Amino acid sequence: MELEEEVPNSYSRRQFFRHLSWSVLSFAGLAAIPFVISSIIPRKVIENKRVRIGKPGDFPINRITFLPESRLFILRDHKGIAAMSAVCTHLGCVVEQDASGFLCPCHGSCYSVIGLIESGPAQRSLPWYKVAALPDQSLLVNMNQVVSPQSRLNI
């Protein structure tokens, strides 16, 4: 009777590289998950955002003034001064004023003259921020404090 020689269970070179490539691809896929999720879900940036916008005389009565550097619309009427965001609530494009209100040039969201959502992919209205007067009579918009569209700083 002949003794059969037992061959130890070994990987071929092809099997080794196949397992190695699947391991590397799996690791890369798992490492990419946080980046994919963060690109899908919009971030809410919490900042202490306060902006000086000038003095009351800089804003004509019964007009809406756009401030591009702070991305705000400033409304001055007979009741006072108010500040509304110019950033579309959909994906953050800067809205433009038109005859019927405000329009997002990126994705077509339409807002009323007081920033209420009328149509488009945006689901929320444009926020209004608290306006305060400083001792030197300049105006400060607190973008951390959302107020109603009827809220005004009496001047």
Side-chain angles (χ1 to χ4, degrees):
M1 190 164 160
E2 269 182 49
L3 288 176
E4 290 185 24
E5 203 174 299
E6 286 188 31
V7 177
N9 219 359
S10 64
Y11 277 138
S12 70
R13 180 177 236 190
R14 181 174 293 176
Q15 287 174 323
F16 171 77
F17 283 112
R18 184 180 303 141
H19 285 202
L20 179 66
S21 62
W22 277 111
S23 298
V24 169
L25 287 173
S26 298
F27 179 75
L30 288 174
I33 289 173
F35 298 106
V36 171
I37 290 173
S38 69
S39 68
I40 294 171
I41 300 172
R43 285 188 236 181
K44 183 175 182 181
V45 178
I46 299 173
E47 296 179 9
N48 186 12
K49 189 77 174 171
R50 295 179 183 174
V51 178
R52 281 186 190 241
I53 58 170
K55 297 197 180 234
D58 298 338
F59 305 102
I61 296 176
N62 293 327
R63 300 276 308 261
I64 295 176
T65 306
F66 176 59
L67 302 177
E69 64 279 354
S70 54
R71 301 187 318 176
L72 291 170
F73 287 106
I74 307 300
L75 167 67
R76 182 172 182 194
D77 59 15
H78 64 281
K79 296 178 189 174
I81 292 184
M84 181 180 72
S85 174
V87 178
C88 180
T89 58
H90 177 232
L91 289 177
C93 299
V94 176
V95 298
E96 298 172 350
Q97 190 174 9
D98 71 356
S100 62
F102 300 94
L103 176 67
C104 177
C106 300
H107 303 102
S109 294
C110 295
Y111 300 90
S112 71
V113 291
I114 62 167
L116 299 176
I117 186 70
E118 291 183 339
S119 67
Q123 299 294 313
R124 293 177 287 123
S125 298
L126 297 173
W128 290 77
Y129 301 120
K130 182 173 175 100
V131 180
L134 296 173
D136 66 352
Q137 300 305 312
S138 63
L139 302 171
L140 181 77
V141 176
N142 184 351
M143 293 186 201
N144 294 321
Q145 192 168 0
V146 176
V147 297
S148 75
Q150 293 77 28
S151 180
R152 303 278 190 273
L153 171 68
N154 295 324
I155 51 171

